[in-house]
């Protein structure tokens, strides 16, 4: 007995070591655009961009591949992000008034983002005052300390307690008729840090002397104040106001100043005089609210060029990269970068932060090891902070996403940056509800204001039936098949040249003329009869239209045999896209499947369609009526989200606390086809393999059809023939979610054409093949061709787990080239299981997704080499890895600029102080705290100051006329 125990222990140790060599779970990187962004920051010296979100996340981006992510413990929105001048620290402010300090600390040659300090102000005072004080004093925060907080609060009480003494110098009629309200903004004089300009909401501005604690000059504005900013000469002030105007005031010492030197309204009755326009004038807002309240605009004026950049959603913040070379704008749904150096000011394609949800994602498909020649691209990018230390990816991978508007987007998923490569639209094949007048952002020649639509986020779909439900790409042949919401299946092939052609639909009746069935769902899409010009890329070569036009629930493509299989809630079919004819139609509908005929998913889609059409009519009416409808998009998104959740609930039966038990054949959607699979295996006898098609349904049925595929020489003339061969009915009737045939060595069969391209060994045809049937509740192995049960693994136990996603993956250690195939399974509890093949034993399991995150679980897609993606929000993929060998994660280093690292730490305090307060050469639009440029010595005299101003290479002033801070850029 002792020897047995020792042997068992040794065996277990060896097995555990094997597990550690092959399997390791990590969430590695978040791809896409942060959900609900709320703050933007930029460090010109580090060349790092920071975004804070409403959920308390903070994300940093530099050169492509340089990314950091942090999360505040508090579940509060990040309202401001400030980098410390020329350091690797930053401070965040949350809407609970707490201040947090972060650092990029180097560890083992790489940087990591760490929170190193927290302070809570605990003040019951207007937050705007605290924020403004923070803007002034944040540059004095030194390396891990919050010594500025005391001074910040001192300034707060100085202003609150002593400002009442200044009213004696303000005319009584001005004070009497106006409630000054709260402090809107505070800004120090760029040439005299002891002078602070205090702006009140109702228009009053006061220049305050911090040393003498008394006012120097009052500026009596008559309109509500939005923001103020100093000109670089320290003698002029710009103020922006709620009526769409801005004013220029001069510091003269004569008190009070009742009228501004100049007052202009860019989009009012007065036009902007050319003499007043600096080389670049950039501002947000300023539009008449009655006519353009629904616009989200930033205006850029340069010489005689004037554009109102019209964004897709509300503007969060923006800044300009010096020279000026680029305008970077963060809006609620995307990041837009405009090239200010190129004629026409084109938008620069971002290598990260791409809005995956420009149209809602409906499905995903991953393809590994794409030929490198497809990746020839050079794309300039203006933000290049940090060093990307990650090695070049060993292979190139594609992630394809299907969208509600009928597009398929191709992403380079090889590394940390999920980079957009190609967009395919299927809408051109069909007649849709699209209206040329639908887009009210299209500008016309001579239009005023000169709007230009910028950004790609568009939650509206021309027709919800266009939505992509399934995708399959063969990388070897270049054939792509996509299936949609209204029963359409398109087969496309790569073409290097544009082509004009008509696409004819082959109609497949899945009901097979059975009596008593009447479809009550949506109509199919109408195909365009006239020729359509398709651009170079993937072009349609065949179209199948299912009747009834229900959602396509499964597809399979075999590019070697030139066949595509498809399934819906009514049955499945097989189509020969080489000869353009249907081979097989099989109805799987049960007489009790009334839900399949009602078309619940279609009904939800039609409700959404009517909602969209209603809002589309509203949007079109805005073209003529220009009425305010800011909340329409938010309301529509809320309604859509609710309807999507209802649709998922109809299909996602709630987990039940039970063991496996038989389900009634009367359950809804028993005929729904969940999976389709092609295999060259032994179906009829054990001596001759034959092509076959396998289909699994929601009612636990598996159908096998033997195929006769002509030889390559006769493929164009002889027909493909299919006939029924086998049928399996699982006793517990659980939905079949996966089918895999294992060869004589227990390995999964290779992909079509994989062996022909020498990328996989030929399958072992000597020895028994096995069919692995994965249902929601168990894995069962059958021998072929007899289809007798050999072994099984029950996943459903008392916790009610059900299989939601399944895939075959290959694992290997870092040191050994040998690969092992395993099965990867995701359950409705959000757990990942790795299961051995062919023994179907549990190897490891890890928690991955919250069980409440139904949409995240439903969106999960596995890669061929043990990685995966799922939607952690509508706009973000979370990437994870189960493999020790293949891990894609940021590996980067950020260091403070060498010229900004003083040898004597005692001198750093003074320099940082001046960097903050003496910044006439700032490059940031946000506030002086981003002005981490070398110290500037102010001119000694007024004439010298004038000469300096005249010698400035460029000058950009950005101010907000709606709800923005007044900002100035000097380059």
């Amino acid at each position: 007995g002792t020897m047995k125990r020792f042997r068992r222990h040794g065996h277990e140790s060896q097995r555990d070591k094997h597990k550690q060599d092959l399997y390791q779970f990590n969430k590695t990187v978040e791809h896409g655009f942060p959900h609900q962004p709320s703050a933007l920051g930029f460090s010109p010296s580090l060349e790092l961009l920071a975004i804070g979100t409403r959920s308390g996340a903070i994300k940093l981006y530099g050169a492509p591949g340089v990314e950091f992510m942090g999360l505040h413990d508090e579940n509060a929105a990040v309202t401001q992000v400030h980098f410390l001048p020329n350091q690797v620290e930053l401070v965040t402010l949350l809407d609970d008034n707490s201040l947090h300090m972060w650092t990029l600390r180097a560890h083992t040659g790489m940087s990591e983002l760490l929170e190193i300090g927290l302070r809570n102000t605990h003040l019951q005072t207007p937050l705007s005052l605290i924020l403004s004080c923070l803007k002034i004093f944040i540059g004095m925060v030194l390396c891990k300390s919050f010594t500025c907080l005391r001074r910040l609060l001192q300034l707060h009480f100085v202003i609150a307690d002593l400002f009442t003494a200044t009213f004696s110098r303000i005319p009584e009629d001005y004070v009497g008729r106006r409630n000054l309200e709260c402090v809107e903004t505070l800004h120090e004089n760029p040439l005299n840090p002891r002078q602070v300009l205090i702006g009140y909401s109702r228009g009053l501005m006061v220049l305050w002397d911090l040393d003498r604690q008394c006012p120097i000059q009052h500026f009596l504005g008559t309109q509500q104040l939005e923001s103020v900013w100093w000109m670089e000469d320290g003698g002029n002030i710009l103020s922006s106001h709620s009526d769409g105007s801005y004013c220029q005031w001069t510091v003269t010492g004569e008190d009070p100043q009742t009228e501004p030197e100049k007052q202009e309204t860019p989009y009012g009755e007065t036009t902007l005089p050319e003499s007043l326009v600096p080389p670049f004038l950039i501002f947000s807002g300023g539009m008449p609210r009655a006519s353009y309240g629904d616009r989200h605009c930033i205006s850029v004026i340069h010489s005689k060029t004037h554009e109102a950049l019209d964004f897709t959603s509300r503007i969060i913040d923006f800044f300009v990269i010096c020279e000026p070379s680029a305008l970077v704008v963060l809006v609620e749904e995307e990041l837009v970068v405009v090239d200010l150096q190129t004629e026409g000011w084109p938008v620069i394609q971002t290598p990260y932060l791409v809005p995956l949800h420009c149209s809602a994602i409906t499905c995903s498909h991953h393809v590994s090891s794409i030929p490198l020649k497809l990746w020839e691209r050079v794309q300039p990018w203006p933000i290049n902070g940090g060093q990307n230390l990650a090695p070049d990816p060993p292979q190139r991978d594609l992630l394809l996403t299907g969208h509600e508007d009928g597009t398929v987007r191709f992403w380079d998923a090889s590394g940390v940056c999920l980079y957009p490569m190609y967009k395919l639209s299927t809408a051109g094949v069909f007649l849709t509800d699209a209206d040329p007048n639908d887009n009210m952002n299209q500008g016309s020649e001579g239009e005023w204001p000169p709007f230009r639509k910028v950004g790609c986020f568009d939650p509206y779909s021309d027709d919800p039936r266009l939505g992509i439900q399934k995708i399959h790409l063969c990388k070897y042949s270049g054939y792509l098949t996509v299936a949609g919401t209204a029963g359409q299946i398109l087969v496309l092939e790569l073409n290097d040249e544009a082509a004009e052609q008509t696409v004819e639909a082959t109609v497949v009746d899945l009901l097979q003329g059975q009596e008593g069935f009447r479809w009550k769902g949506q109509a199919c899409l109408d195909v365009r009869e006239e020729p359509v010009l398709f651009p170079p890329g993937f072009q349609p070569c065949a179209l199948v239209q299912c009747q009834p036009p229900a959602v396509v629930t499964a597809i399979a493509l075999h590019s070697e045999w030139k066949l595509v299989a498809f399934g819906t809630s009514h049955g499945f079919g097989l189509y020969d896209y080489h000869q353009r004819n249907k081979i097989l139609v099989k109805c799987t509908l049960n007489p009790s499947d009334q839900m399949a005929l009602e078309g619940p998913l279609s009904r939800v889609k039609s409700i959404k369609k009517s909602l969209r059409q209603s809002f589309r009519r509203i949007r079109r009416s805005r073209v003529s009526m220009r009425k305010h409808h800011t909340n329409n998009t938010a309301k529509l998104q809320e309604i859509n989200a609710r309807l999507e959740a209802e649709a998922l609930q109809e299909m996602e039966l709630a987990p039940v606390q039970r063991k496996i038990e038989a389900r009634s054949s009367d359950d809804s959607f028993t005929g729904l086809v969940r999976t389709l699979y092609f295999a060259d295996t032994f179906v009829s006898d054990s001596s001759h393999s034959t092509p076959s098609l396998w289909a699994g349904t929601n009612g636990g049925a598996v159908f096998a059809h033997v195929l006769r595929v002509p030889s390559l020489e006769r493929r164009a003339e002889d027909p493909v023939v299919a006939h029924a061969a086998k049928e399996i009915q699982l006793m517990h009737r659980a939905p079949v979610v996966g089918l895999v045939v294992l060869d004589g060595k227990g390995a999964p069969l290779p992909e079509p054409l994989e062996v022909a391209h020498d990328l996989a060994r030929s399958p072992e045809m000597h020895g028994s093949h096995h069919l692995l049937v994965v249902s929601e509740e168990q894995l069962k192995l059958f021998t072929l061709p007899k289809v007798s049960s050999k072994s099984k693994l029950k996943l459903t136990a008392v916790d009610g787990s059900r299989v939601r996603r399944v895939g075959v993956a290959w694992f290997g250690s870092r040191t050994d080239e040998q690969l092992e195939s395993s099965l990867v399974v995701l359950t409705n509890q959000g757990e990942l299981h790795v299961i051995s093949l062919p023994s179907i034993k549990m190897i490891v399991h890890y928690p991955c997704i919250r069980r409440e995150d139904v949409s995240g679980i439903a969106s999960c897609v596995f890669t061929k080499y043990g990685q995966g993606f799922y939607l952690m929000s509508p706009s973000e993929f979370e990437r994870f890895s189960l493999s020790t060998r293949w891990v894609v994660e940021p590996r980067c280093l950020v260091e403070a600029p060498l010229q900004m690292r003083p040898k004597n730490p005692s001198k750093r305090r003074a320099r940082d102080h001046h960097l903050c307060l003496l910044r006439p050469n700032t490059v940031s639009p946000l506030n002086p705290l981003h002005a981490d440029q070398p110290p500037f010595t102010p001119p000694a005299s007024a004439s010298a100051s004038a000469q300096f101003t005249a010698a400035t290479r460029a000058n950009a002033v950005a101010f907000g006329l709606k709800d923005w801070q007044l900002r100035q850029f000097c380059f």
Side-chain angles (χ1 to χ4, degrees), residues 139-197:
M140 301 163 65
V141 181
L142 299 175
C143 293
K144 314 182 181 68
S145 73
F146 271 84
T147 55
C148 72
L149 186 60
R150 179 164 44 84
R151 302 188 64 175
L152 183 156
L153 299 181
Q154 284 176 352
L155 178 63
H156 162 70
F157 291 118
V158 164
I159 295 171
D161 295 341
L162 300 182
F163 188 70
T164 53
T166 70
F167 284 97
S168 59
R169 298 171 61 177
I170 303 176
E172 289 185 8
D173 59 338
Y174 184 88
V175 175
R177 72 173 187 266
R178 305 184 68 82
N179 175 8
L180 298 180
E181 295 187 356
C182 64
V183 173
E184 181 67 31
T185 183
L186 293 163
H187 282 292
E188 80 282 5
N189 187 327
L191 301 186
N192 186 349
R194 307 309 297 163
Q195 293 180 357
V196 176
L197 185 69

Side-chain angles (χ1 to χ4, degrees), residues 36-298:
Q36 296 182 326
S38 55
L40 176 68
F42 181 63
S43 169
S45 65
L46 298 178
E47 288 194 80
L48 289 182
L49 166 79
I51 293 178
T53 72
R54 280 194 246 170
S55 60
I58 177 76
K59 299 189 176 187
L60 274 57
Y61 302 88
V66 177
E67 297 185 9
F68 301 93
M69 189 269 184
L71 187 65
H72 295 86
D73 292 334
E74 295 77 6
N75 186 19
V78 180
T79 58
Q80 292 197 26
V81 181
H82 301 284
F83 284 92
L84 302 194
N86 302 294
Q87 297 181 44
V88 290
E89 279 84 31
L90 62 149
V91 174
T92 56
L93 179 72
L94 307 189
D95 64 359
D96 64 358
N97 284 15
S98 61
L99 293 168
H100 302 255
M101 193 164 193
W102 301 78
T103 186
L104 289 166
R105 180 176 295 166
H107 176 65
T108 64
M110 291 186 296
S111 298
E112 52 185 340
L113 182 62
L114 299 173
E115 185 176 359
I116 55 173
L118 163 67
R119 292 291 185 273
N120 201 310
T121 59
H122 297 298
L123 290 179
Q124 304 300 318
T125 53
L127 189 59
S128 62
L129 182 59
I130 298 171
L131 303 192
S132 299
C133 296
L134 176 66
K135 289 178 184 180
I136 292 177
F137 283 92
I138 198 70
M140 301 163 65
V141 181
L142 299 175
C143 293
K144 314 182 181 68
S145 73
F146 271 84
T147 55
C148 72
L149 186 60
R150 179 164 44 84
R151 302 188 64 175
L152 183 156
L153 299 181
Q154 284 176 352
L155 178 63
H156 162 70
F157 291 118
V158 164
I159 295 171
D161 295 341
L162 300 182
F163 188 70
T164 53
T166 70
F167 284 97
S168 59
R169 298 171 61 177
I170 303 176
E172 289 185 8
D173 59 338
Y174 184 88
V175 175
R177 72 173 187 266
R178 305 184 68 82
N179 175 8
L180 298 180
E181 295 187 356
C182 64
V183 173
E184 181 67 31
T185 183
L186 293 163
H187 282 292
E188 80 282 5
N189 187 327
L191 301 186
N192 186 349
R194 307 309 297 163
Q195 293 180 357
V196 176
L197 185 69
I198 307 168
Y200 277 76
S201 294
R202 299 299 285 176
L204 173 68
M205 294 180 293
V206 179
L207 185 58
W208 184 269
D209 189 313
L210 291 175
D211 291 328
R212 294 183 295 162
Q213 296 186 357
C214 66
I216 299 170
Q217 187 172 351
H218 297 75
F219 307 92
L220 308 184
T222 57
Q223 295 293 330
Q224 180 173 318
L225 184 69
E226 294 293 328
S227 55
V228 300
W229 197 259
W230 286 91
M231 299 289 278
E232 76 277 359
D233 58 9
N236 288 279
I237 298 162
L238 290 179
S239 63
S240 62
H241 302 275
S242 60
D243 64 347
S245 67
Y246 72 93
C247 301
Q248 180 175 333
W249 308 80
T250 303
V251 179
T252 61
E254 298 178 6
D255 194 43
Q257 186 169 340
T258 58
E259 297 288 339
E261 293 289 324
K262 297 175 182 175
Q263 182 170 353
E264 300 295 341
T265 306
Y267 293 110
E269 296 178 0
T270 63
T271 59
L272 206 59
E274 204 166 311
S275 60
L276 187 64
V277 179
F280 273 92
L281 183 70
I282 305 171
F283 57 90
S284 65
M287 301 286 170
R289 286 191 178 92
S291 302
Y292 305 107
D294 56 339
R295 303 277 189 166
H296 310 290
C297 293
I298 290 179

